[in-house]
Amino acid sequence: MIDLYTDSSPNGFKVTIALEELAQPYRLHHVRIDEGEHRQPAFLALNPHGRIPVIIDQEAGITLFESAAILLYLAEKTGRLLPKEPVARWEAIKWLMFHASSMGPILGQRVYFEMFAARKIPTAIDRYRQLTEDAFLTLDGRLANNPWLAGEDYSIADIATFGWTHIALICGFSFSHHRNLARWHEQIAERPAVQRGVTIPAPANGP
């Protein structure tokens, strides 16, 4: 049994989608960020940085935080969602890392500066809008000749990236002009496991 500590967020949805895709049994613990539960000592004992998601694999005695690490762990544990052929496998890992180091943080900063910052800073808003467009363009180029980010196989790279494209649309950050990216997003959104995953522990709402 896997214990999952999460909230309704793009990073959390990555893991709920993966668990639903893999049909892995898990026990849900809703960490309500709005109520400060991620700063309580019990949660900080699991992740000293105070961020969701966290999983505990009780059978293996492994506790993990950081969504990319969790996705890699679940793929390795089950032998699914990560291609076995070396070229495709490293494509999946490469695009997972692109998401973790570039796309996710960029979109996170855009959401903050554009929607949550008490004082609107035009230069910051403009910067993260442009960086978002750059990331979308990069993804669109990759998907121009590939159905999935790893190539022919749906993988954890797609799940990670979808976690944030899902939130981007909720926030009104359209990428419909990137046709390959839009096609890819719609294709993932139709998957039953994805439709379940983005409602756990609750659907996300815009600001």
Side-chain angles (χ1 to χ4, degrees):
M1 177 65 71
I2 288 176
D3 283 282
L4 169 64
Y5 296 79
T6 193
D7 200 356
S8 300
S9 80
N11 294 326
F13 290 149
K14 299 172 196 176
V15 178
T16 51
I17 289 170
L19 287 167
E20 291 293 321
E21 289 278 13
L22 295 166
Q24 281 286 295
Y26 64 97
R27 193 161 34 224
L28 179 66
H29 305 268
H30 190 175
V31 181
R32 293 169 175 82
I33 293 173
D34 288 347
E35 298 176 19
E37 293 179 357
H38 61 307
R39 296 299 182 190
Q40 296 301 311
F43 185 75
L44 291 173
L46 303 177
N47 181 357
H49 196 46
R51 299 183 68 180
I52 60 94
V54 173
I55 66 164
I56 303 174
D57 186 335
Q58 300 290 352
E59 182 181 7
I62 292 173
T63 299
L64 286 174
F65 54 84
E66 292 297 330
S67 56
I70 294 170
L71 290 175
L72 280 168
Y73 178 77
L74 293 174
E76 289 285 345
K77 178 181 175 71
T78 61
R80 295 173 57 200
L81 296 177
L82 187 61
K84 294 180 172 58
E85 190 276 321
V87 172
R89 179 184 180 86
W90 282 105
E91 285 297 320
I93 293 171
K94 178 174 70 180
W95 287 101
L96 175 65
M97 294 302 110
F98 171 78
H99 172 79
S101 64
S102 297
M103 184 196 171
I106 286 167
L107 277 165
Q109 291 298 313
R110 180 175 175 185
V111 168
Y112 172 76
F113 282 112
E114 197 161 328
M115 299 192 160
F116 290 106
R119 183 170 66 90
K120 301 303 180 187
I121 305 172
T123 53
I125 292 171
D126 289 346
R127 170 178 171 78
Y128 285 105
R129 283 180 176 175
Q130 183 57 59
L131 288 173
T132 297
E133 278 300 302
D134 291 345
F136 286 162
L137 184 62
T138 298
L139 291 166
D140 192 70
R142 170 61 181 171
L143 294 164
N145 299 304
N146 297 280
W148 307 107
L149 289 171
E152 296 299 318
D153 298 301
Y154 174 67
S155 74
I156 53 175
D158 300 293
I159 291 172
T161 306
F162 180 87
W164 268 105
T165 56
H166 174 70
I167 294 299
L169 292 182
I170 288 174
C171 292
F173 302 163
S174 175
F175 47 83
S176 59
H177 52 296
H178 297 293
R179 294 182 181 179
N180 303 306
L181 180 60
R183 179 267 308 161
W184 166 92
H185 177 91
E186 291 168 7
Q187 193 169 306
I188 296 179
E190 291 173 357
R191 297 175 69 92
V194 173
Q195 294 174 2
R196 294 192 301 271
V198 296
T199 66
I200 302 170
N205 297 312

